[in-house]
């Protein structure tokens, strides 16, 4: 999708130095982290294995290949990563076709940023087929571009997806605010040089230099994001 975006170095959003907002998807905009775990548990149950709840923190927020590889090794399931990836995407897609709740504050934040002309990109470790289904509910019109986990050579926790998104917006990564819910996503955004807002979904995330932690998107608005650029 295309749109007019500000040139690098220009000021947007009523004089702010904020040049773009880059948002994670699962657990950040849509309440789907639990859906992924349920899908994983159901698929492995069909293979004759029970997942340990403690593994949930290990697989959350990571690329599909990492999560699938970990679960195969942990359970000893006789299945390849490629085969498991198809099963997990199929099971997850079936779940989101029934219900797709937005995180508290997500709809309001997207509308506010859009109303003030702040360029936005969706940056997810999920595959393109999943992102496109989710966008049917979230609204593809909010985003100048979207980056899927199967469209980059290295996805989160590497910085590549966020660097690609910032470049696509014509923005300096240091002038972009990233909103993430997992340590994996936070690591990717920080490695890209972005200012980070962490909204933990499954596992806690500690505050750190260049990183602000809030309990929900209801605590995030345009002035808040603009203020990050002055820290």
């Amino acid at each position: 999708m295309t749109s007019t975006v500000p040139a690098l170095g220009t000021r947007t959003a009523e004089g702010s130095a904020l040049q773009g907002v880059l948002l994670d998807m699962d657990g950040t905009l849509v309440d789907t982290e639990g859906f992924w775990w349920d899908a994983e548990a159901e698929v492995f149950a069909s293979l004759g294995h029970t997942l340990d709840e403690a593994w949930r923190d290990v697989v959350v927020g990571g690329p599909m290949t990492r999560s699938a590889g970990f679960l195969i090794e942990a359970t000893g399931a006789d299945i390849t990563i490629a085969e498991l990836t198809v099963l997990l995407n199929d099971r997850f897609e079936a779940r989101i076709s029934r219900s797709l709740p937005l995180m508290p504050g997500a709809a309001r934040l997207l509308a506010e940023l859009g109303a003030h002309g702040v360029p936005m990109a969706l940056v997810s470790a999920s595959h393109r087929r999943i992102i496109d289904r989710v966008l049917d509910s979230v609204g593809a019109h909010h985003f100048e571009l979207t980056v899927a986990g199967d469209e980059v050579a290295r996805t989160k926790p590497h910085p590549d997806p966020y660097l690609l998104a910032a470049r696509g917006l014509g923005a300096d990564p240091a002038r972009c605010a990233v909103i993430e819910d997992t340590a994996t996503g936070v690591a990717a955004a920080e490695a890209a040089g972005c200012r980070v807002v962490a909204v933990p979904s499954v596992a806690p995330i500690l505050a750190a230099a260049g990183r602000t932690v809030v309990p929900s998107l209801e605590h995030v608005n345009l002035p808040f994001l603009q203020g990050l650029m002055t820290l």
Side-chain angles (χ1 to χ4, degrees), residues 22-45:
L22 316 178
L23 301 106
D24 175 54
M25 187 177 75
D26 295 299
T28 299
L29 289 179
V30 288
D31 191 8
T32 49
E33 291 293 10
F35 286 14
W36 277 115
W37 178 251
D38 290 344
E40 289 159 347
E42 291 170 5
V43 167
F44 275 90

Side-chain angles (χ1 to χ4, degrees), residues 4-196:
T4 301
V5 297
L8 188 63
T10 62
R11 291 178 176 267
T12 64
E14 299 179 353
S16 168
L18 177 68
Q19 293 181 353
V21 178
L22 316 178
L23 301 106
D24 175 54
M25 187 177 75
D26 295 299
T28 299
L29 289 179
V30 288
D31 191 8
T32 49
E33 291 293 10
F35 286 14
W36 277 115
W37 178 251
D38 290 344
E40 289 159 347
E42 291 170 5
V43 167
F44 275 90
S46 71
L47 298 173
H49 300 276
T50 301
L51 300 187
D52 188 323
E53 187 71 24
W55 298 339
R56 184 170 181 170
D57 289 354
V58 179
V59 300
V60 68
M64 177 73 75
T65 52
R66 188 193 74 181
S67 300
F70 171 83
L71 292 174
I72 289 172
E73 183 176 355
T75 60
D78 184 17
I79 190 171
T80 68
I81 290 178
E83 292 168 338
L84 180 57
T85 295
V86 172
L87 294 178
L88 291 175
N89 276 327
D90 286 346
R91 190 64 60 98
F92 181 79
E93 194 167 358
R95 280 186 164 271
I96 64 175
S97 67
R98 297 194 298 267
S99 174
L100 187 56
L102 295 181
M103 297 298 287
R108 186 269 312 156
L109 178 61
L110 291 173
E112 179 183 3
L113 295 178
H116 289 84
V118 180
M120 289 180 279
L122 185 72
V123 183
S124 177
S126 290
H127 288 187
R128 171 56 56 187
R129 60 179 283 196
I130 300 299
I131 288 179
D132 287 345
R133 287 295 301 275
V134 171
L135 284 174
D136 289 340
S137 296
V138 175
H141 63 281
H142 292 297
F143 306 102
E144 309 289 342
L145 60 93
T146 61
V147 178
D150 57 340
E151 295 174 343
V152 290
R154 302 188 308 171
T155 188
K156 304 172 188 180
H158 298 287
D160 306 37
Y162 281 113
L163 292 174
L164 178 63
R167 186 163 62 248
L169 295 182
D172 179 352
R175 291 299 179 183
C176 291
V178 169
I179 304 179
E180 272 280 0
D181 73 303
T182 68
T184 299
V186 167
E190 290 180 344
C194 303
R195 297 301 177 103
V196 179

